[in-house]
Amino acid sequence: MSDPRIPLKEPKLAALLAFLLPGAGHLYQGRYFKAGLYAVCIWGLFLYGMSLADWKIVNAPPLHGNASRRGVMLKYAAQFGVGAPALVALMQSERYYKESNRPVRQLDAPLDAPFTGELTLRTRQTAGDVTGTVYLEPAQGGFGAEVIRGRFAGTDADGEPVEVQLGEFVELGRPISADSKRYLQAEVIDDAGGRIQSLGHLHGSIPRPFWNWFVVPLDDKQDRELHRQLGKYHELATVFTMIAGLLNVLAIWDALEGPAYGYGDEPESTDETPDTEAEQADADKDSSDKQPVAEAVS
Amino acid sequence: MDALPTLLAHTNMTWYLLPLAAVISLVYSASRYEQTERILRRAGKLFAQIILFMGAILALLAMLSYRL
């Protein structure tokens, strides 16, 4: 039974809030010091771990099938304690492993996006960095197949304007993936006179919207790349986020049942040796003060 | 922002123990008691215990690997 001086209000609601947002449950209960302490410590540890790993360290396992990725289960189980971000990761896992999330060769609607990459033209025999905008739209290819066509307009590394037509073999990376850049490769064509002629190749990337890469599961290649980039900091980020999740379990329990050992003004237990003689004297005084009350109750 | 990875690359990983131990001590102690002063006092004690324990392990490992 919790100390009556501790305002638990609706403990189950507080525990749910504490799970969803560390510190929120205690804020709801009016336990402001603890709310601040849990929020700063748990969020701080978790977000620092996330930032160390480029915000890619929380990977939820697939809910259905794909047993090869279930190795992330234990890591995720510890991170799950931190609530909202882990739930978002689970939602992202569900979206990522859908059949429809695959590299795109057809479009439902026109798309234009900023592009950075490399343009290779046969006429120049060289590749050059280009930046600009790609404009893509669905089109009918040979034999009635649906393809993507469009154009790229921008500038090359020297600042010279470049505009080329894209078509037939345009491929976009999958819509949802753990990378803020979505790859794009396309054949550069010339269809003057009604005859399509290949002039070269454009490849690079367009930005992926935040919600299409944030806490999305990594594929094997991305996972290896992250390990290569971070080295030992990958493990450190994993440990920080896992410990943050596990610590929040203590905070959730505190919101539900109150502190484990009591309010804190009880005399220190005998297994905790007081640091100083003054503390010992205080403890003795406290216990002697409480003695008559205990006797009166009995 | 480029300075951060460079800074991290030159930071000995052992130093990460300090904030980690501080956070663990504070959250653990907060889950045991309600009174602010008691939480902070106990967290300080736990922090010192963790650091001493880890320091002892570090010293032991350093001793075992001496001249290896």
Side-chain angles (χ1 to χ4, degrees), chain A residues 6 31 33-34 37-38 41-42 45 48 52 232-233 236 239-240 243 247 250 254 258-268 272-273 275 279, chain B residues 4-5 7-13 16-17 19-20 22-42 45:
Chain A
I6 301 169
R31 299 157 79 188
F33 173 73
K34 280 194 168 185
L37 189 146
Y38 286 138
C41 290
I42 294 170
L45 196 63
Y48 186 62
L52 272 180
K232 58 189 179 181
Y233 288 98
L236 189 72
V239 166
F240 274 24
I243 290 181
L247 286 176
L250 295 177
D254 184 28
Y261 295 165
Y263 192 82
D265 54 358
E266 305 86 354
E268 306 235 355
E272 284 182 12
T273 313
D275 291 339
E279 276 183 25
Chain B
L4 187 64
L7 184 70
L8 290 178
H10 292 92
T11 306
N12 189 315
M13 231 171 162
Y16 285 95
L17 172 66
L20 189 59
V23 164
I24 291 171
S25 307
L26 281 167
V27 173
Y28 179 78
S29 302
S31 72
R32 308 290 102 179
Y33 295 108
E34 190 68 15
Q35 205 180 40
T36 306
E37 192 242 325
R38 183 81 173 258
I39 290 170
L40 295 176
R41 192 151 43 90
R42 199 186 151 93
K45 203 183 283 184

Side-chain angles (χ1 to χ4, degrees), chain B residues 41-52:
Chain B
R41 192 151 43 90
R42 199 186 151 93
K45 203 183 283 184
L46 184 58
F47 177 75
Q49 281 172 350
I50 293 173
I51 296 299
L52 283 175

